């Protein structure tokens, strides 16, 4: 697809007015009890930011939801005078408290609802909101058929879908299951399918909200890696979320909405920092939010005590986002078999990729992941594996990768670490700076057709390796 | 390809082009509607032929055998089947068009699809049931061929009138559908009223009786009914009874022109409000 040099997205004075609480009719139906009415009203208000994961396929014909409200009519400007230019390859993180107009903006960009005023120029194709496709997976249809169904919502011609079927299924890790009905798959697998389709075709503008990733940690990492790849290929991203860390990781620019109006617009760091500051109580916090990768806390006991004392940072209303980082990442580097830092490797050779981590709190699960790509190619992924970490301090995550079947050339390697709380909650996604390396042809000249293989270990501060945790 | 998103929706020509580009979605929405209608039933797809069969059996018995309604020399069952095939196409298309947006609100709230695809897709139920009526008529014809030695059919160039009549019915239903889909997404009242209204309308249309059975002083009522002409045309084209009522045909065409033009403007203006209200 050729992309013109112009901006991907230009918003001119966008505003959206909702009329709320229009009368429920001549004879309002919820005759009994204010409670029901209140519930209705609350739900109507919640429409602004609702995170719908409801499956519509299961709706019966007659289960029409009541969304009307009673009471006096009222107007609400959910969005007012929003101006924004997004260049191809730029990623704009839209932040702001609940009800600030983030979702409305996304709905307008997704053409679900038109603006009341203003105008938007879109240069190219806008993909539906990432995550919205999950609701369209038809459980009675096969995986293969679902790829076609989902692609229809993207406006992708059928022939293109057929051509890309293999790589979509590969991304979703559902290769052997093309003919399986989706109802026999797990929810996570069906999400993977939806995200694989949603991320496969290169849109000119990609929209995402909190559901920017799905599935298990390795798949989440792959989604993020793919989004970065799309950005590198000049897709523009608008990402409305309160996952501030992911916003800073993915985005170049930030847009802070408050009460439907733009509070700040600038680089993502500026905007997110300002937004974070606004969430924090007036008194400055003595503890730095992100600990510098300094010396590890002396003892386990005091370490957790430290965290505890830092913890009761009064959480400013809606989002519990700005938590102190549990883990910080220093760097990723490529080592040869002898442990020396290298910038090139031979195909077929075994190398080690090291990721240095500073763990602040024990009881986390770290999942390393690794992807490398040559130029504009789709990245190759190395199977990740989770490790349970039970002590704080400096850890080194190592992947021993055998570069089988790797085409010689210059590569960009991206390592990532997903930090999960022991209870499975995803808390952070860390990515050290990408590293460059080149791959030489193998010594014997021939290419083995296999794929790269990897084994992961993690070295604890005491120098003991931990083998991968068994995952359920 | 570049798009402009504005408060005002793009024009009718643009909507038509968009509909054509998304034609694959039309079939999909049709299929989805059919599946939704028959899912969670014990008999499943068996309902598809069963509903028309039960409908016809009961009504043909009441009108043909008990009330002995005249049918212009053709066995009443066949006469009724042909008329009913046309009316049912109209009624089902009308009814499901009123629900086309409402039933897809989960999609409407999440992604952009040209909304006309849902309206056109809602024709699926009427179209499928029409085919079932054709099959039933086929059985009836074979029965009469064996029993009476004649098919009672009069096929020829006049059959073009049937095709034209069906086309008019579809156009008429879709014209009303432009209004009903948007209104039906906003309030269920539309659906309730429509059920009663079509029930009454059915008796006003020459389906169970031939047009010439209408008393002279009430002919005007049949003439201003936009469904009269297409139904008569469908019957004339297959059975050779009656003819093409020109005045009524003019009314039909006029109705389509006015209702569709205004409806398209209304649809474009109000579809977004309907989605907001869902």
């Amino acid at each position: 697809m050729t992309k013109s040099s112009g901006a991907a997205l230009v918003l001119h004075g966008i505003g959206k007015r909702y009329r709320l609480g229009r009368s429920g009719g001549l004879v309002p139906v919820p005759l009994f009890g204010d409670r029901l009415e209140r519930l209705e009203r609350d739900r109507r208000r919640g429409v602004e930011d609702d995170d719908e994961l409801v499956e519509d396929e299961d709706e019966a014909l007659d289960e029409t939801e009541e969304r009307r409200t009673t009471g006096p009519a009222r107007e609400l400007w959910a969005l007012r005078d929003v101006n924004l230019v997004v260049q191809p390859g730029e990623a704009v993180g839209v932040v702001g408290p609940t009800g600030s107009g983030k979702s409305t903006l996304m709905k307008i960009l997704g053409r679900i609802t038109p603006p009341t005023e203003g105008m938007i120029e879109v240069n190219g194709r806008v993909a539906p909101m990432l995550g919205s496709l999950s609701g369209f997976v038809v459980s009675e249809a096969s995986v293969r058929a679902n790829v076609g169904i989902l692609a229809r919502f993207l406006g992708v011609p059928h022939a293109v879908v057929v051509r890309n079927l293999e790589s979509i299924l590969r991304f979703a890790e559902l290769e052997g299951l093309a003919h399986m009905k989706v109802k026999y798959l797990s929810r996570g697998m069906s999400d993977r399918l939806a995200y694989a389709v949603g991320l496969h075709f290169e849109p000119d503008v990609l929209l995402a909200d909190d559901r920017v990733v799905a599935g298990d940690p390795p798949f989440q990492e792959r989604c993020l890696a793919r989004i970065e790849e799309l950005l590198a290929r000049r897709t523009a991203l608008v990402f409305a979320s309160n996952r501030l860390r992911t916003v800073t990781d993915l985005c170049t620019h930030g847009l802070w909405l408050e009460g439907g109006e733009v509070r700040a617009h600038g680089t993502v760091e500026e905007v997110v920092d300002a937004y974070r500051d606004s969430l924090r109580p007036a008194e400055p916090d003595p503890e730095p939010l992100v600990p510098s990768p300094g010396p590890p806390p002396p003892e386990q006991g005091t370490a957790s005590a430290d965290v505890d004392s830092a913890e009761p940072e009064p959480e400013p209303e809606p989002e519990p986002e700005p938590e102190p980082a549990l883990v910080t990442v220093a760097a990723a580097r490529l080592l040869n078999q002898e442990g020396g830092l290298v910038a090139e490797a031979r195909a077929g050779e075994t190398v080690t990729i090291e990721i240095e981590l500073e763990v602040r709190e024990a009881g986390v699960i770290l999942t390393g992941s690794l992807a490398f790509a040559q130029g504009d190619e789709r990245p190759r992924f190395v199977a990740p594996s989770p490790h349970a970490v039970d002590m704080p301090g400096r850890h080194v995550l190592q992947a021993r990768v055998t570069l089988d079947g790797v085409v010689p050339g210059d590569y960009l390697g991206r390592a990532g670490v997903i930090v999960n709380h022991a209870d499975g909650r995803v808390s952070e996604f860390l990515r050290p700076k990408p590293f460059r390396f080149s791959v030489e042809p193998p010594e014997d000249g021939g290419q083995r057709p296999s794929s790269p293989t990897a084994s992961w270990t993690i070295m604890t501060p005491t120098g003991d390796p931990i083998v991968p945790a068994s995952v359920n | 390809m570049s798009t402009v998103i504005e408060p005002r929706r793009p024009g009718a020509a643009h909507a038509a082009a968009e509909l054509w580009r998304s034609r694959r979605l039309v079939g999909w929405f049709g299929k989805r509607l059919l599946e939704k209608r028959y899912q969670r039933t014990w008999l499943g797809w068996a309902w598809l032929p069963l509903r028309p069969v039960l409908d016809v059996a009961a009504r043909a018995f009441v009108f043909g055998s008990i009330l002995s309604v005249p049918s212009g020399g053709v066995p009443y069952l066949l006469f009724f089947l042909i008329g009913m095939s046309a009316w049912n196409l109209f009624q089902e298309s009308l009814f499901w068009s009123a629900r086309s947006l409402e039933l897809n609100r989960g999609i409407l709230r999440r992604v952009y699809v040209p909304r006309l695809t849902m309206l056109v897709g809602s024709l699926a139920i009427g179209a499928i049931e029409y085919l079932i009526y054709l099959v039933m008529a086929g059985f009836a014809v074979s029965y009469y061929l064996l029993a009476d030695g004649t098919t009672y059919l009069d096929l020829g160039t006049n059959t073009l009138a049937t095709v034209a009549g069906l086309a008019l019915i579809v156009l008429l239903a879709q014209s009303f559908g432009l209004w009903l889909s948007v209104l039906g997404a906003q309030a269920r009242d539309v659906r309730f009223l429509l059920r009663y209204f079509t029930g009454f309308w059915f008796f006003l249309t020459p389906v169970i009786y031939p047009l010439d059975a209408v008393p002279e002083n009430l002919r005007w009522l049949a003439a201003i009914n936009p469904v009269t002409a297409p139904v008569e045309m469908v019957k004339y084209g297959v059975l050779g009874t009656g003819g093409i009522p020109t005045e009524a045909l003019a009314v039909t065409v006029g109705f389509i022109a006015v209702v569709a033009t205004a409806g398209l403007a209304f649809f474009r203006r109000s579809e977004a409000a309907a989605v907001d209200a869902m």
Side-chain angles (χ1 to χ4, degrees):
Chain A
M1 195 183 304
T2 53
K3 281 165 198 166
S4 73
S5 55
L9 210 53
V10 186
L11 281 72
H12 303 278
I14 289 301
K16 175 75 186 180
R17 181 185 58 212
Y18 283 108
R19 290 207 173 84
L20 297 186
R22 254 201 290 194
S23 152
L26 291 174
V27 189
V29 172
L31 282 172
F32 310 105
D34 296 323
R35 214 179 99 76
L36 268 177
E37 268 179 51
R38 228 182 359 257
L39 282 175
E40 286 292 327
R41 245 199 313 275
D42 289 351
R43 189 156 65 187
R44 189 71 185 85
R45 213 172 287 141
V47 162
E48 247 296 275
D49 260 68
D50 59 354
D51 201 3
E52 286 170 309
L53 291 165
V54 200
E55 282 247 355
D56 269 90
E57 286 311 317
D58 292 332
E59 271 173 4
L61 278 186
D62 291 308
E63 284 168 14
T64 314
E65 228 178 298
E66 289 300 339
R67 270 179 173 265
R68 343 205 93 226
T69 50
T70 51
R74 184 161 75 82
E75 282 188 359
L76 172 86
W77 281 93
L79 218 53
R80 203 77 204 259
D81 198 29
V82 177
N83 295 287
L84 182 69
V85 179
V86 188
Q87 299 293 344
E90 262 180 23
V92 178
V94 183
V95 297
T98 306
S100 59
K102 297 191 300 292
S103 305
T104 305
L105 179 63
M106 299 310 272
K107 278 186 184 171
I108 293 172
L109 290 175
R111 292 213 284 164
I112 290 161
T113 185
T116 311
E117 56 179 32
M119 194 258 262
I120 302 175
E121 294 167 53
V122 186
N123 203 347
R125 186 172 70 85
V126 181
M129 176 98 84
L130 208 54
S132 68
L133 285 178
S134 303
F136 302 139
V137 175
V138 178
S139 51
E140 287 295 328
S142 70
V143 167
R144 197 191 152 89
N146 264 297
V147 173
I149 291 166
L150 295 173
R152 249 172 243 199
F153 289 105
L154 303 175
V156 175
H158 192 66
V160 179
V161 175
V162 173
R163 235 179 294 136
N164 289 281
L165 191 66
E166 278 306 307
S167 55
I168 293 171
L169 294 182
R170 199 178 322 124
F171 188 83
E173 288 177 58
L174 295 171
E175 283 159 293
L177 304 171
H179 297 285
M180 175 91 83
K181 275 191 182 175
V182 169
K183 66 176 172 187
Y184 301 122
L185 302 182
S186 73
R187 178 65 195 246
M189 285 160 126
S190 108
D191 278 348
R192 282 209 310 250
L193 179 64
Y195 278 76
V197 176
L199 284 169
H200 185 83
F201 304 99
E202 287 174 26
D204 298 279
V205 179
L206 183 67
L207 306 177
D209 63 2
D210 282 335
R211 292 166 295 163
V212 62
V213 293
D216 49 13
F219 188 74
Q220 294 174 9
E221 151 70 0
R222 288 233 301 281
C223 289
L224 290 173
R226 173 64 180 157
I227 292 172
E228 295 208 327
E229 190 192 344
L230 288 173
L231 290 173
R233 305 186 67 156
R234 318 235 330 130
T235 290
L237 170 72
V238 182
F239 177 30
S241 176
N242 266 311
R243 297 184 176 196
L244 297 185
R245 212 174 295 281
T246 318
V247 168
T248 352
D249 275 344
L250 272 179
C251 296
T252 50
H253 293 67
L255 181 76
W256 171 10
L257 293 179
E258 189 106 35
E261 286 171 15
V262 177
R263 266 289 283 278
H265 179 213
T267 68
V268 72
E269 287 85 5
E270 282 167 20
V271 172
V272 169
D273 283 352
Y275 175 52
R276 267 211 184 99
D277 284 346
S278 80
L279 295 176
R280 218 171 293 151
E283 205 181 313
D285 203 317
E287 283 285 311
L289 214 62
V290 181
S292 51
E299 288 162 49
Q300 283 182 43
T302 50
S304 57
D306 274 347
V307 171
D308 281 346
S309 67
E311 204 44 43
E313 184 185 49
E315 228 52 274
E317 300 144 30
E319 275 75 26
E321 233 301 312
E323 264 176 35
L326 286 174
V327 179
T328 49
V329 66
R333 47 181 182 254
L334 184 70
L335 307 175
N336 64 12
Q337 254 164 322
E338 287 73 45
L341 204 61
V342 289
E344 55 189 48
R346 218 169 257 291
E349 192 188 354
T350 301
V351 292
T352 302
I353 285 119
E354 271 193 0
I355 309 166
E356 233 183 279
L357 299 159
E358 195 59 51
V359 179
R360 261 182 67 122
E361 197 183 334
V364 292
I365 295 168
L366 300 179
T367 308
S369 71
L370 198 59
F372 52 96
Q374 194 179 7
D376 273 354
E377 238 185 26
R378 289 178 69 83
R380 307 189 68 149
F381 292 95
V382 168
S385 70
H387 302 266
V389 170
D390 49 10
M391 69 177 84
R394 180 181 166 278
H395 286 68
V396 178
L397 200 53
Q398 292 177 331
R400 283 171 59 80
V401 182
T402 307
L403 298 168
D404 277 338
V406 176
V407 179
D410 289 329
Y411 282 85
L412 188 66
R414 288 172 184 278
V417 181
I418 296 160
V419 183
N420 284 55
H421 291 268
D423 59 14
R425 194 152 52 89
V426 179
S427 77
E428 284 166 55
F429 172 68
L430 309 168
R431 38 178 62 249
K433 280 211 164 1
F435 52 94
R436 294 187 179 282
F437 64 99
S438 60
V439 174
E440 306 288 311
E443 271 168 339
D444 49 26
Q447 265 294 2
R448 267 161 293 198
S450 54
S451 312
T453 51
S455 61
W456 290 85
T457 41
I458 189 163
M459 305 299 286
T460 62
T462 54
D464 301 317
I466 310 179
V467 288
S470 58
V471 261
N472 35 357
Chain B
M1 183 183 76
S2 86
T3 324
V4 172
I5 303 175
E6 273 183 314
R8 279 179 63 83
R9 291 279 167 169
H14 184 271
E18 206 179 33
L19 178 63
W20 176 248
R21 273 201 305 275
S22 321
R23 58 192 179 279
R24 290 185 65 87
L25 277 172
V26 172
W28 186 73
F29 279 122
K31 191 165 151 262
R32 181 180 144 98
L33 187 58
L34 281 166
E35 283 170 357
K36 275 200 149 194
R37 190 184 193 193
Y38 295 108
Q39 74 187 193
R40 285 198 225 164
T41 55
W42 286 322
L43 296 181
W45 289 117
W47 275 114
L48 202 54
L50 208 54
R51 288 173 70 123
V53 166
L54 292 175
D55 242 16
V56 164
R59 294 194 201 187
F61 175 69
V62 172
F63 301 127
S65 305
I66 299 181
L67 298 174
S68 308
V69 177
S71 54
V74 178
Y76 189 78
L77 177 64
L78 192 57
F79 172 84
F80 179 70
L81 266 175
I82 300 298
M84 193 60 193
S85 70
W87 171 262
N88 190 72
L89 174 63
F90 177 69
Q91 179 189 291
E92 293 300 310
S93 303
L94 202 61
F95 186 69
W96 291 102
S97 74
R99 304 202 61 185
S100 57
L101 293 186
E102 178 234 323
L103 284 173
N104 289 309
R105 69 187 174 288
I107 290 173
L108 287 172
R109 285 211 299 260
R110 288 198 190 88
V111 297
Y112 175 77
V113 287
R115 276 121 207 208
L116 280 176
T117 55
M118 295 175 180
L119 177 60
V120 180
S122 72
L123 285 171
I125 290 185
I128 288 274
E129 291 201 355
Y130 178 76
L131 294 179
I132 288 160
Y133 273 95
L134 273 193
V135 173
M136 290 200 295
F139 279 119
V141 165
S142 342
Y143 167 77
Y144 290 119
L145 187 61
L146 291 174
D148 304 351
T150 166
T151 59
Y152 296 103
L153 293 183
D154 180 16
L155 302 174
T157 43
N158 59 329
T159 309
L160 289 176
T162 300
V163 178
L166 292 174
L168 285 175
I169 284 174
V170 168
L171 284 176
L172 195 60
Q174 289 277 287
S175 309
F176 285 120
L178 287 167
W179 296 84
L180 294 172
S181 56
V182 172
L183 296 172
Q186 283 166 335
R188 269 198 229 178
D189 314 35
V190 174
R191 229 202 292 169
F192 298 164
L193 289 172
L194 192 63
R195 267 292 180 222
Y196 290 110
F197 193 63
T198 48
F200 184 52
W201 200 346
F202 168 69
F203 291 110
L204 290 183
T205 309
V207 178
I208 51 172
Y209 50 85
L211 185 56
D212 21 307
V214 180
E216 203 62 54
N217 60 338
L218 287 177
R219 279 284 163 87
W220 62 272
L221 201 58
I224 61 159
N225 177 355
V227 202
T228 300
V231 168
E232 279 297 299
M233 284 162 74
V234 168
K235 288 198 283 193
Y236 168 70
V238 181
L239 302 170
T241 58
I244 301 175
T246 39
E247 281 164 42
L249 181 59
V251 169
T252 306
V253 174
F255 247 92
I256 292 175
V258 173
V259 175
T261 313
L264 212 53
F266 173 74
F267 188 85
R268 284 196 294 112
R269 204 168 59 85
S270 314
E271 47 147 351
V275 174
D276 282 349
M278 284 196 295

